[in-house]
Amino acid sequence: MGKDRGLLALYHPDQGTPVLADVVFVHGLFGDRCQTWTKNLGRRKEPPDKGTQSLSKLNKVHPSPWKKTFIGRSELDNHGTPHTTPRRIQDEQNENGTKPVSNVFWPRDLLPLVFPGFRIFTWGYDVDIDHVFSGASTATVFQHAGNLLSDVADVRTAKEAESRPLIFIAHSLGGIVVKDAINQSFDAQTHLKSIAPATFGVCFLGTPHRGASTVALGETIYRISTLWGKSPNLRVLQALKYDAETLDRVQHGFKTMLFKSRCRIKVRSFRETEKTHGITIVDRFSAIIDDPMGIVSDIHGDHSNMTKFSNIEDPGFISLCGALRRWAEELSNTAGDDEQTVDLVKTNVLRGLENSQRRQRVDQVSTAYDGTFRWLFAPDVEFQDWLCAAQQNKLPIFWIQGKPGSGKSTLMKYALGHQRTRELLERAAPGPWTIVSYFFHERGSRIQKSTDGLLQELLYSLLHANGDLIQFVIPAWMRKFSHQKHVMRYPSYSADTMEQLVASIKSDRNIRNALFRSETWSIKSLQHALVAITRQTEVALNVLIFVDALDEHDGNHRDLIKFIRHAFTPTEVAAINVKMCFASRPESVYHSAFEEFPGLVIHQHTREDIQRYVREQINSATLGGK
């Protein structure tokens, strides 16, 4: 058995071939990073004119972008990356008719034929039975898992590799090491936390997943030890029975993560069909992981030989590749093209802001009585001059004030829907105008009277009016996840532009899954998004905003006014042109904030409207009584 330890690079896609995923092989107890996966073909006597049938199949051109077929150890460059042109199988015969055949190390010699986009590694570690489960030794399952985690993270330091999908293929108790490595990554607060969310799938070959907990694992280890001619220390086996910190933690921790974590890791289990010297090492029950999404298949062979394939037509190799091919197709489909991904981002940003309750109040407000409020557009009222005024370097606010029940909300609804409003706006700035409204309602739901309700409506309306604005709110959209534990595990959540976000989504399905879950926008993230829109200099937009019943806002009025000033005061280079019309009771906080701006006192203009309404109601009642 070889003594090689650590990670060994076997294959890297040719230049120009995109790397679809990293694949890492992990052997089991008494295994070896190379020999566990090597089929010993030996030397066979054959007629000089025929050749070895299985090797001739290997040397056929496989329908793949990568057309080199070879057996033999690849040479590594100075960076630990294998060249893609290792020694080919020699077809020439010896004089005695014996064909010199190398052993088939299939992760290097066969797998790249089918998956030229996989970057392939194998990992080795010390698996002495008297050390691996001993709490006093550094060679415990936990330590091995930590070493695996660290070694894999070290070869994925490049930005494009850190979030690249990762696939583990583990044999026997190597599957326990892989599980624990993913568990440790899931709980890590260092750079090691990137491994768990990047793990796309795990293929377990003859791994004991379940049974009578640690008792079943102890029996499995005993069988493997006996098979290898070992005499395991009875004290160690006894400790296995009760060592919840190592074995139970791994088994139950991985199961819990599969069900509760945000990263949905795909699992495929393979079980042996033949006994080894009359002993079934991992029985059918133990080989099935306790996961409703897990799939189990048979590989014909005993516990040791189920990991050894001689050619691409080996049934076991075909079965394993079937699982990997489905994953590869899903990875390719998940990537998609940039345009589709951008559309997906836009859809989900808007979906996260949509809430029909915010617009219910304006529908409940009474429509203006016929013939009333016409004075709003009269020359002696400042409203039409304010609408026509061009952009200035001051906050363009118009304040409508009035006592309770004076008709402020009805007037706001009248101005909001009147065609004259749009006509006057076009004098201020040509081109289409987006009109946005939010009516506070103190007897409504929280979203109808809160700061975040107002900010959500403003942001939603602006983004809905012009989807190109979404690119400027990406940092804020990412920030809304910052308090979420599952997001903090993913280092790729650092996108500041749409391009960076698209690249992250295409390279890491976990980002797609997590970002497109329903998460509430915080007030700070909403504020950052609105400021980003009003400060951007690329996308032009004309906006008129109506906000009614400011006094019914249930938050801090001064803080809200302070933010409005900060966000909407125009700058010389801003591309957005904003006008804001507010209505409220004449309270001191609003007098202090808005007295410098144009406005009107509603009850100073409604005397004739009230007389008109009363007169027509009387006439209607009189006519109805005749």
Side-chain angles (χ1 to χ4, degrees):
M1 182 178 69
K3 296 296 183 182
D4 291 336
R5 305 286 180 262
L7 203 62
L8 175 66
L10 302 179
Y11 168 76
H12 192 288
D14 287 328
Q15 187 174 5
T17 300
V19 181
L20 187 62
D22 285 345
V23 178
V24 179
F25 287 80
V26 180
H27 63 80
L29 193 62
F30 308 125
D32 175 88
R33 66 180 182 180
C34 295
Q35 294 304 316
T36 292
W37 316 101
T38 299
K39 180 72 171 180
N40 186 356
L41 298 180
R43 299 166 67 89
R44 292 187 289 179
K45 184 86 171 181
E46 296 185 358
D49 59 340
K50 290 186 177 179
T52 305
Q53 183 177 3
S54 61
L55 291 179
S56 66
K57 290 179 180 179
L58 278 174
N59 283 328
K60 288 181 179 179
V61 176
H62 193 272
S64 162
W66 190 59
K67 301 182 182 300
K68 297 183 178 73
T69 306
F70 35 71
I71 299 292
R73 181 161 185 158
S74 60
E75 298 178 358
L76 302 182
D77 61 21
N78 294 331
H79 302 284
T81 300
H83 298 303
T84 56
T85 56
R87 177 171 55 84
R88 289 180 58 93
I89 300 173
Q90 300 300 314
D91 290 326
E92 55 270 10
Q93 316 287 330
N94 287 341
E95 292 182 359
N96 61 3
T98 301
K99 193 177 184 70
V101 180
S102 299
N103 296 330
V104 181
F105 182 25
W106 66 268
R108 179 198 61 208
D109 303 326
L110 302 183
L111 196 63
L113 299 175
V114 185
F115 301 102
F118 284 172
R119 190 172 66 148
I120 304 172
F121 302 86
T122 186
W123 186 74
Y125 59 109
D126 179 19
V127 279
D128 189 324
I129 183 63
D130 289 325
H131 295 159
V132 70
F133 294 106
S134 172
S137 170
T138 58
T140 62
V141 168
F142 184 84
Q143 187 64 42
H144 286 315
N147 291 337
L148 170 62
L149 192 60
S150 179
D151 288 348
V152 173
D154 286 347
V155 297
R156 292 164 59 87
T157 55
K159 187 171 183 179
E160 68 275 10
E162 193 175 44
S163 60
R164 179 183 297 146
L166 180 61
I167 296 173
F168 288 99
I169 300 177
H171 177 233
S172 190
L173 294 176
I176 305 299
V177 175
V178 169
K179 288 180 182 180
D180 200 24
I182 297 173
N183 288 345
Q184 291 184 37
S185 173
F186 193 76
D187 294 326
Q189 296 301 319
T190 66
H191 68 287
L192 300 179
K193 66 184 179 181
S194 66
I195 298 301
T199 302
F200 185 85
V202 184
C203 285
F204 294 104
L205 281 68
T207 294
H209 292 298
R210 59 181 180 170
S213 190
T214 54
V215 177
L217 283 170
E219 292 174 353
T220 299
I221 293 168
Y222 183 83
R223 293 170 191 162
I224 298 174
S225 302
T226 303
L227 174 65
W228 280 86
K230 302 289 184 179
S231 298
N233 189 311
L234 293 179
R235 178 180 56 81
V236 175
L237 291 181
Q238 185 68 19
L240 282 174
K241 208 171 183 179
Y242 304 102
D243 191 2
E245 184 178 354
T246 54
L247 298 180
D248 283 342
R249 174 183 53 78
V250 173
Q251 297 291 78
H252 298 298
F254 188 74
K255 175 183 174 181
T256 300
M257 187 190 65
L258 284 180
F259 282 102
K260 294 185 178 181
S261 72
R262 302 276 181 165
C263 52
R264 174 71 250 185
I265 298 175
K266 298 183 180 299
V267 172
R268 184 68 180 268
S269 296
F270 296 87
R271 59 194 176 194
E272 61 215 61
T273 60
E274 300 177 8
K275 294 182 178 181
T276 306
H277 300 309
I279 300 174
T280 300
I281 305 300
V282 179
D283 59 31
R284 288 176 174 269
F285 182 75
S286 295
I288 302 174
I289 195 167
D290 191 11
D291 176 17
M293 299 300 292
I295 302 174
V296 62
S297 302
D298 291 339
I299 289 183
H300 296 287
D302 60 24
H303 189 72
S304 177
N305 288 315
M306 70 181 304
T307 64
K308 298 171 172 60
F309 310 127
S310 61
N311 58 67
I312 58 177
E313 296 184 0
D314 189 300
F317 182 75
I318 292 174
S319 182
L320 180 66
C321 286
L324 295 176
R325 182 175 289 108
R326 279 186 285 273
W327 293 355
E329 290 174 354
E330 184 171 340
L331 286 170
S332 298
N333 293 336
T334 298
D337 59 29
D338 289 358
E339 185 176 347
Q340 290 177 334
T341 305
V342 169
D343 289 342
L344 189 60
V345 170
K346 291 180 178 179
T347 298
N348 281 274
V349 170
L350 289 173
R351 184 180 298 158
L353 293 166
E354 171 63 19
N355 190 323
S356 60
Q357 288 187 25
R358 297 192 303 263
R359 291 181 286 278
Q360 288 179 355
R361 176 57 181 162
V362 68
D363 294 333
Q364 296 168 352
V365 172
S366 300
T367 302
Y369 189 75
D370 188 37
T372 60
F373 293 137
R374 291 177 180 174
W375 51 263
L376 180 63
F377 297 104
D380 60 338
V381 177
E382 291 183 285
F383 186 66
Q384 74 164 356
D385 290 337
W386 175 77
L387 287 175
C388 295
Q391 178 79 304
Q392 299 177 352
N393 291 327
K394 60 181 282 186
L395 190 60
I397 286 178
F398 191 89
W399 180 35
I400 298 175
Q401 56 174 302
K403 299 176 181 179
S406 58
K408 299 185 299 297
S409 296
T410 302
L411 177 61
M412 291 284 278
K413 185 173 182 178
Y414 174 83
L416 172 66
H418 204 287
Q419 179 62 31
R420 184 64 175 160
T421 299
R422 292 187 177 276
E423 292 173 356
L424 293 170
L425 285 172
E426 291 183 3
R427 297 182 187 179
W433 278 76
T434 297
I435 299 180
V436 181
S437 67
Y438 182 86
F439 283 40
F440 282 103
H441 184 32
E442 65 178 354
R443 294 184 300 277
S445 64
R446 192 194 67 81
I447 204 68
Q448 293 176 297
K449 55 186 176 182
S450 61
T451 299
D452 48 331
L454 168 64
L455 300 184
Q456 282 184 30
E457 184 61 24
L458 295 181
L459 183 58
Y460 175 84
S461 298
L462 294 176
L463 296 178
H464 190 267
N466 192 326
D468 290 338
L469 291 171
I470 290 180
Q471 62 183 302
F472 304 109
V473 307
I474 291 303
W477 189 58
M478 306 293 284
R479 189 175 286 109
K480 84 187 181 86
F481 297 96
S482 61
H483 66 290
Q484 299 292 335
K485 186 176 181 181
H486 70 280
V487 171
M488 295 171 66
R489 300 185 186 279
Y490 302 148
S492 300
Y493 284 79
S494 58
D496 291 323
T497 66
M498 180 68 80
E499 291 75 15
Q500 292 174 356
L501 181 60
V502 169
S504 296
I505 291 173
K506 290 176 68 177
S507 63
D508 189 345
R509 93 194 199 289
N510 295 296
I511 293 180
R512 173 189 290 259
N513 293 342
L515 289 182
F516 296 157
R517 296 178 188 274
S518 177
E519 301 288 352
T520 303
W521 286 71
S522 67
I523 290 180
K524 284 189 176 181
S525 61
L526 290 166
Q527 290 174 335
H528 282 297
L530 284 168
V531 170
I533 288 176
T534 59
R535 296 287 187 269
Q536 56 85 23
T537 60
E538 300 176 26
V539 179
L541 187 66
N542 298 319
V543 183
L544 171 60
I545 300 173
F546 288 95
V547 180
D548 181 53
L550 269 175
D551 50 280
E552 298 184 29
H553 167 233
D554 69 355
N556 188 300
H557 299 279
R558 287 184 173 83
D559 286 348
L560 179 59
I561 294 170
K562 181 180 179 181
F563 171 73
I564 290 172
R565 284 184 175 275
H566 170 66
F568 293 100
T569 297
T571 64
E572 294 182 359
V573 295
I576 189 169
N577 180 22
V578 181
K579 293 177 179 289
M580 307 186 76
C581 180
F582 296 118
S584 73
R585 297 175 185 179
E587 297 179 355
S588 59
V589 63
Y590 300 116
H591 269 292
S592 299
F594 301 142
E595 62 182 358
E596 64 180 289
F597 300 108
L600 62 86
V601 179
I602 187 171
H603 55 263
Q604 295 178 352
H605 300 274
T606 54
R607 181 181 181 86
E608 293 185 4
D609 288 341
I610 294 173
Q611 292 176 343
R612 178 188 180 91
Y613 175 78
V614 171
R615 184 170 53 251
E616 292 191 4
Q617 289 296 309
I618 291 174
N619 291 338
S620 177
T622 302
L623 292 174
K626 290 183 177 181

